[in-house]
Amino acid sequence: MTEVIQPAIETVTIDVMLSALADPVRLALVRAFDAAGDWTCGSDVLKDTGATIAKSTLSHHIKVLRDAGLIRTRVDGIRRLVILRYDDVEGRFPGLLAMLREAGPARPTVEPPAAAT
Amino acid sequence: MTEVIQPAIETVTIDVMLSALADPVRLALVRAFDAAGDWTCGSDVLKDTGATIAKSTLSHHIKVLRDAGLIRTRVDGIRRLVILRYDDVEGRFPGLLAMLREAGPARPTVEPPAAAT
């Protein structure tokens, strides 16, 4: 299995971390990866969140989360497995993940028809 | 003095809160309002942060922070005074402000000169 390159957690600034988390779908994914606590398939986790987004959009979100130091990704055949970098994130921004667990729901993650953005 | 309308903190979702904080200038403003601990002039606080943005951009950032439930604004003659809604934010998202205090610097808030083409 090949692990995708990810940033050293020390290079991640708080604004980059918050930008990654500010999207309702990405936030739902992070919460699901946090709850899983082990390597999981991004597509499977996405289904569990109830978000309805295209596969390409999921890939984009996964990349944003990885670039922000939140997750590791590894390629396993045709699957991409993901795990939350819990210890890294907790070490860099103590209390962030605990706060997210308690923060209540985000806005609905069902995308509106195109043209809204 | 007239206080500008702001949202009830219960209506603010975590993604809206994180979006407001994800910008380096807005994050610097929130930290400065947090440190001030009382009503302060947004323009004065901006100077202290070292960020170089237009007055209209400051007004936009202040509005985003207010709409996200982070600050109150009141109009005092030609000045706009701002205060962090510390208790409201702490009550809604416990640990968020403490995490931000400890989170280290964001990316620089001074915009680089445009690249020569």
Side-chain angles (χ1 to χ4, degrees):
Chain A
M1 273 190 288
T2 312
E3 190 152 329
V4 181
I5 291 171
Q6 71 229 338
I9 198 70
E10 300 75 24
T11 66
V12 176
T13 53
I14 182 65
D15 53 305
V16 171
M17 174 64 67
L18 294 175
S19 294
L21 292 167
D23 177 272
V25 172
R26 289 199 294 270
L27 183 59
L29 288 170
V30 166
R31 286 169 155 170
F33 296 143
D34 184 22
D38 201 351
W39 293 96
T40 46
C41 176
S43 302
D44 293 346
V45 165
L46 180 70
K47 275 182 214 151
D48 294 343
T49 69
T52 55
I53 57 171
K55 196 168 179 181
S56 59
T57 309
L58 173 63
S59 298
H60 167 72
H61 285 322
I62 293 284
K63 182 178 187 310
V64 172
L65 293 175
R66 187 172 61 244
D67 290 347
L70 275 157
I71 58 172
R72 295 181 197 279
T73 310
R74 62 185 196 193
V75 180
D76 179 20
I78 61 163
R79 297 200 313 164
R80 294 207 149 212
L81 299 178
V82 174
I83 194 168
L84 188 74
R85 295 174 65 180
Y86 183 85
D87 290 346
D88 289 344
V89 176
E90 177 61 19
R92 180 93 171 109
F93 304 116
L96 174 62
L97 293 172
M99 185 276 296
L100 291 180
R101 285 181 191 151
E102 303 298 323
R107 288 167 298 175
T109 52
V110 178
E111 288 183 345
T117 54
Chain B
M1 275 191 287
T2 313
E3 191 151 329
V4 181
I5 291 171
Q6 73 229 336
I9 198 69
E10 298 77 22
T11 65
V12 176
T13 53
I14 182 64
D15 54 302
V16 170
M17 174 65 66
L18 295 175
S19 294
L21 292 167
D23 177 90
V25 172
R26 289 199 294 269
L27 183 58
L29 287 169
V30 165
R31 285 168 156 171
F33 296 143
D34 185 20
D38 201 353
W39 292 96
T40 46
C41 176
S43 303
D44 293 346
V45 165
L46 180 70
K47 276 183 212 150
D48 295 342
T49 69
T52 55
I53 58 171
K55 196 168 178 181
S56 58
T57 309
L58 174 64
S59 297
H60 167 73
H61 285 321
I62 293 284
K63 181 178 188 310
V64 171
L65 293 175
R66 187 172 61 244
D67 289 348
L70 276 156
I71 58 172
R72 293 180 199 279
T73 310
R74 61 186 197 193
V75 180
D76 179 20
I78 61 163
R79 298 200 312 164
R80 293 207 152 215
L81 299 178
V82 173
I83 195 167
L84 188 73
R85 295 174 64 178
Y86 182 86
D87 290 346
D88 289 343
V89 176
E90 177 61 18
R92 179 94 171 109
F93 304 117
L96 174 62
L97 294 172
M99 185 275 296
L100 292 180
R101 284 181 193 152
E102 304 298 322
R107 287 167 298 175
T109 51
V110 178
E111 288 179 0
T117 49

